[in-house]
Amino acid sequence: MYLHGSSKINSNGHLEIGGCDTTLLKERFGTPLYIVDEQLVRRRCREFMEAFRETGLKFQVAYASKAFCVMAMCALAAEEGMSLDVVSSGELFTALQAGFPAERIHFHGNNKTPEEIEMALEAQIGCFVVDSEMELHLLQALAFEKGQQVNILLRVTPGVEAHTHEYMATGQEDSKFGFDIANGTARQAVEQAIELDHLNLLGVHSHIGSQIFEVNGFQMAAERVAAFSREIKEQLQYSFKVINLGGGFGIRYTEEDTPLKLSTYVKAISEAVKTHFSGLYDELPEIWIEPGRSIVGDSGTTLYTVGSIKDIPQVRKYVSVDGGMTDNPRPALYQAKYEAMLANRAQDANEETVSIAGKCCESGDMLIWDVELPCPNSGDLLAVASTGAYNYSMASNYNRIRRPAVVFVNNGEAELVVRRETYEDIVRNDVIPQRLVRDQASSMAQPNAKITVSS
Ligand SMILES: Cc1ncc(COP(=O)(O)O)c(C=O)c1O
Ligand SMILES: N[C@@H](CCCC[NH3+])C(=O)O
């Protein structure tokens, strides 16, 4: 397994992250456990910020919180001077609870409800990224009611096909997101937005997809957005102040992945903006981006305990762990690939090929097919790398499995940032209609019955 950030093998032959021995993390917090290398997250934030400072452009780097949205992460992003992209009232609430400055929050989403918009208006967030004509009018009406002026960007699809999984491509015409440039709806949206007196149109937003390893998609998006901006300037005499080119910068999951340095993306984007916007306005527009995966992805490692092992001779050895698609749905959803190692005996050389199975009642709940590991035994600790993005944030309670805890590790210290769910959490929102309430003596039927289970 590739060792990201501060991960290393210590003198006991154990995987250590952020100066913390993972075998001790297991003793203290249990498994499955998400471990986040705090210094690596901070390094990624700074790589983006510093690369932009060197371009001389005005900029904002908004952390796309959908990748991993918990209060500690919002607080860290705020401390690093980032802005924040949220796509729901739940993410917005998390950010506000963490004290994230509202004026640096950008609200995305293709179907914001009136309640969500009202919540964001009350919080006086920095900007809405408007996705549809209906939203334009809803936002105008709600802003009018509250007597507010609201900054907006219009999300456009620039017609760029990103080279990535089809579920992660969003820049093409046939997309549920945004207004298409080529078919004229983006221009119509600009015309309407200019007329709506409670909306202050800052500019446009384009996000072409996720887990992208080339710069040319971003360059092409910048070129198309610049051509569109020119058309708007010439025909409607309106100048954009902000161009948001989204996120999508790829990271390393396995050796098949060839990530670029984050500064390479920033340089390519800013050069493209400088070239294509040259001479259009008195000054170049401010550039915003919204990376999610590239901020937190490779900082995360999930630690599991190996349970049952099933050897089907001449076929396959299934090694089951105490988590799976509930804490990491990506292999089932996108056929995503991961690397793993035994965290408690990282240096054992006697390897065999096994497949790592999750514990859900689904044949598709396989975390890794065919990985070389040092003959895993029940009780071993398995570490899976690059699970920082879209793992905790996409985790579920399928099969009523409790979501794992999350710890930040740094300089030998481990701090809990999300506690492990309890059985009480699992039934917290369940209600038994009175007619179904069983005899009080039958304690197992009562949601609040005390059941003692060692964790
Ligand atoms: C609008 C928008 N911005 C930003 C992101 C973050 O993407 P990534 O995590 O690939 O950087 C996404 C997710 O793909 C998105 O849909
Ligand atoms: N959730 C995704 C990709 C989509 C990102 C959000 N637009 C992943 O796990 O890779």
Side-chain angles (χ1 to χ4, degrees):
M1 183 179 95
Y2 183 82
L3 297 172
H4 297 268
S6 66
S7 296
K8 63 174 196 181
I9 312 299
N10 68 17
S11 52
N12 294 323
H14 299 165
L15 174 63
E16 182 179 299
I17 309 173
C20 297
D21 186 314
T22 49
T23 64
L24 300 177
L25 292 178
K26 178 207 156 107
E27 275 174 30
R28 189 166 152 207
F29 301 102
T31 59
L33 181 68
Y34 295 110
I35 303 166
V36 178
D37 181 345
E38 182 179 336
Q39 275 315 316
L40 189 52
V41 179
R42 289 187 184 275
R43 197 166 100 201
R44 298 294 182 225
C45 295
R46 289 170 198 178
E47 278 172 31
F48 276 120
M49 301 290 275
E50 277 156 27
F52 263 115
R53 274 185 208 113
E54 282 173 21
T55 68
L57 293 167
K58 287 192 191 145
F59 69 93
Q60 281 190 40
V61 181
Y63 165 59
S65 68
K66 68 203 82 177
F68 172 57
C69 187
V70 303
M71 284 165 57
M73 183 59 210
C74 293
L76 186 157
E79 207 174 272
E80 290 295 328
M82 315 277 280
S83 299
L84 198 75
D85 147 10
V86 300
V87 287
S88 73
S89 46
E91 288 182 353
L92 174 61
F93 183 78
T94 307
L96 295 172
Q97 286 291 108
F100 199 95
E103 67 279 9
R104 293 195 340 237
I105 297 179
H106 310 160
F107 197 175
H108 262 284
N110 62 305
N111 187 23
K112 305 177 189 78
T113 64
E115 293 73 25
E116 289 183 308
I117 293 178
E118 278 178 351
M119 181 173 167
L121 287 174
E122 269 153 36
Q124 304 198 337
I125 64 159
C127 183
F128 286 79
V129 184
V130 175
D131 199 278
S132 67
E133 193 181 334
M134 195 183 116
E135 187 188 337
L136 264 182
H137 295 284
L138 180 61
L139 188 55
Q140 159 74 15
L142 295 173
F144 168 77
E145 261 175 36
K146 293 197 184 307
Q148 280 178 241
Q149 285 300 124
V150 182
N151 289 331
I152 65 162
L153 295 180
L154 292 175
R155 178 158 181 176
V156 299
T157 43
V160 175
E161 301 267 351
H163 296 148
T164 185
H165 191 285
E166 63 171 315
Y167 290 180
M168 298 184 204
T170 51
Q172 70 283 12
E173 179 185 359
D174 184 2
S175 162
K176 72 167 183 169
F177 299 109
F179 302 92
D180 191 46
I181 293 182
N183 71 12
T185 49
R187 182 196 155 130
Q188 286 162 14
V190 172
E191 287 172 14
Q192 292 188 33
I194 295 171
E195 292 302 314
L196 295 170
D197 59 352
H198 283 263
L199 306 186
N200 174 26
L201 176 62
L202 296 181
V204 288
H205 167 284
S206 137
H207 170 77
I208 57 172
S210 195
Q211 185 63 350
I212 298 168
F213 293 116
E214 312 151 329
V215 294
N216 52 348
F218 297 101
Q219 289 166 323
M220 203 180 292
E223 186 177 349
R224 300 256 170 101
V225 166
F228 178 63
S229 307
R230 194 171 293 278
E231 179 190 325
I232 297 299
K233 170 84 191 311
E234 287 167 1
Q235 296 177 12
L236 304 178
Q237 290 75 52
Y238 195 87
S239 303
F240 295 144
K241 293 189 191 67
V242 174
I243 300 298
N244 186 329
L245 289 169
F249 317 109
I251 66 158
R252 185 191 194 285
Y253 288 95
T254 70
E255 60 192 1
E256 288 169 20
D257 301 322
T258 49
L260 303 173
K261 277 167 54 184
L262 301 182
S263 58
T264 306
Y265 291 107
V266 173
K267 274 186 204 138
I269 286 173
S270 47
E271 286 309 316
V273 166
K274 285 178 184 170
T275 307
H276 300 298
F277 280 87
S278 144
L280 182 59
Y281 306 138
D282 294 340
E283 61 176 316
L284 286 168
E286 191 168 320
I287 302 306
W288 296 1
I289 58 163
E290 7 179 82
R293 190 192 311 273
S294 51
I295 298 283
V296 288
D298 59 3
S299 309
T301 303
T302 309
L303 201 62
Y304 301 97
T305 302
V306 172
S308 92
I309 295 178
K310 183 169 295 170
D311 193 2
I312 308 174
Q314 277 91 54
V315 178
R316 182 179 304 281
K317 195 174 208 177
Y318 285 93
V319 172
S320 293
V321 293
D322 52 355
M325 67 189 294
T326 47
D327 57 80
N328 184 359
R330 299 191 72 259
L333 202 51
Y334 317 110
Q335 300 75 48
K337 294 194 180 138
Y338 285 89
E339 289 179 345
M341 67 185 282
L342 290 189
N344 57 321
R345 44 191 187 90
Q347 282 157 331
D348 282 10
N350 199 10
E351 296 200 324
E352 62 177 344
T353 305
V354 299
S355 292
I356 309 297
K359 64 186 265 96
C360 282
C361 227
E362 292 280 340
S363 305
D365 182 18
M366 294 296 299
L367 285 177
I368 311 180
W369 293 100
D370 299 329
V371 56
E372 298 289 312
L373 288 176
C375 304
N377 293 318
S378 188
D380 275 332
L381 272 185
L382 184 91
V384 177
S386 290
T387 58
Y390 306 111
N391 272 228
Y392 178 76
S393 65
M394 299 212 303
S396 78
N397 288 126
Y398 181 47
N399 290 170
R400 294 242 134 174
I401 290 170
R402 295 167 299 159
R403 272 180 284 233
V406 186
V407 291
F408 275 13
V409 292
N410 189 18
N411 284 329
E413 297 285 330
E415 290 164 303
L416 194 64
V417 300
V418 182
R419 63 171 175 74
R420 183 176 303 284
E421 281 182 336
T422 61
Y423 293 110
E424 286 71 26
D425 291 330
I426 292 286
V427 293
R428 173 154 294 137
N429 298 316
D430 290 13
V431 178
I432 306 183
Q434 195 54 40
R435 66 194 168 76
L436 294 178
V437 173
R438 299 189 48 209
D439 176 5
Q440 298 293 317
S442 168
S443 67
M444 294 300 283
Q446 300 307 307
N448 295 324
K450 286 273 167 279
I451 303 166
T452 314
V453 184
S454 58
S455 57

